Amino acid sequence: MLNVGDKVPDFCLPNQDEEEICFRDIKGRWIVLYFYPKDNTPGCTTEACDFTAALPDFEGLNAIVLGVSPDSPKKHRNFIEKKDLGITLLADEEKELCQIFGVWQLKKNYGREYMGVVRSTFIIDPDGKVAAKWEKVRVKGHVDAVKAKLEELQTT
């Protein structure tokens, strides 16, 4: 798992419009990279809607918000249209970025074990290093915590 201070390796993933988004092209800005399990599920919908609502605040802090899940670009597009989302979603169908960040883990639900995305958020600084991270995120109040941490990081 990447930790605070680690350099983020270069990556390229398609977004909801099947346009390739590469880290090298967005480096130099603050990036809020959040990983979530699945489009159109209750917790993931709440989180995506919360990030969309806070987008003007993040843009005011010169930050871009990117959501990542193993869903396809088509599923992301459907999710964005259905919920009127303003954020960019990246499709990590091969789970490569999830594995680099260490969020693809063994999970348990009702006694059943399976591999899945552990809801996590990373703030990446303009130098391309992890500046903050949250693991096993609880959705309620999370976006406000991320925004507060980003403000704090930019003033220190």
Side-chain angles (χ1 to χ4, degrees), residues 9-15 19-25 90-92 96-97 100:
D10 200 24
F11 64 84
C12 293
L13 287 175
N15 70 5
E19 295 168 352
E20 194 171 66
I21 305 291
C22 293
F23 184 57
R24 65 178 175 267
D25 299 330
L90 302 180
D92 189 16
E96 288 172 22
L97 194 61
I100 288 169

Side-chain angles (χ1 to χ4, degrees), residues 54-82:
L55 208 51
D57 297 332
F58 284 107
E59 288 168 350
L61 293 165
N62 193 31
I64 54 175
V65 177
L66 300 172
V68 182
S69 85
D71 289 310
S72 68
K74 186 179 179 197
K75 282 184 180 169
H76 282 341
R77 205 166 38 255
N78 171 288
F79 185 35
I80 285 171
E81 288 168 5
K82 190 172 169 185

Side-chain angles (χ1 to χ4, degrees), residues 62-143:
N62 193 31
I64 54 175
V65 177
L66 300 172
V68 182
S69 85
D71 289 310
S72 68
K74 186 179 179 197
K75 282 184 180 169
H76 282 341
R77 205 166 38 255
N78 171 288
F79 185 35
I80 285 171
E81 288 168 5
K82 190 172 169 185
K83 300 298 178 187
D84 199 23
L85 302 175
I87 54 177
T88 297
L89 300 178
L90 302 180
D92 189 16
E93 293 181 278
E94 302 301 315
K95 300 154 197 89
E96 288 172 22
L97 194 61
C98 290
Q99 288 175 351
I100 288 169
F101 277 85
V103 302
W104 185 252
Q105 298 176 13
L106 188 65
K107 296 171 77 173
K108 278 186 179 171
N109 194 12
Y110 300 112
R112 196 176 68 102
E113 290 188 340
Y114 61 98
M115 293 300 288
V117 174
V118 174
R119 190 184 310 277
S120 307
T121 302
F122 297 81
I123 294 177
I124 302 167
D125 70 18
D127 295 327
K129 290 186 180 148
V130 176
K133 76 174 191 175
W134 291 261
E135 297 173 64
K136 297 186 173 105
V137 165
R138 293 267 171 257
V139 173
K140 190 171 168 46
H142 178 61
V143 170

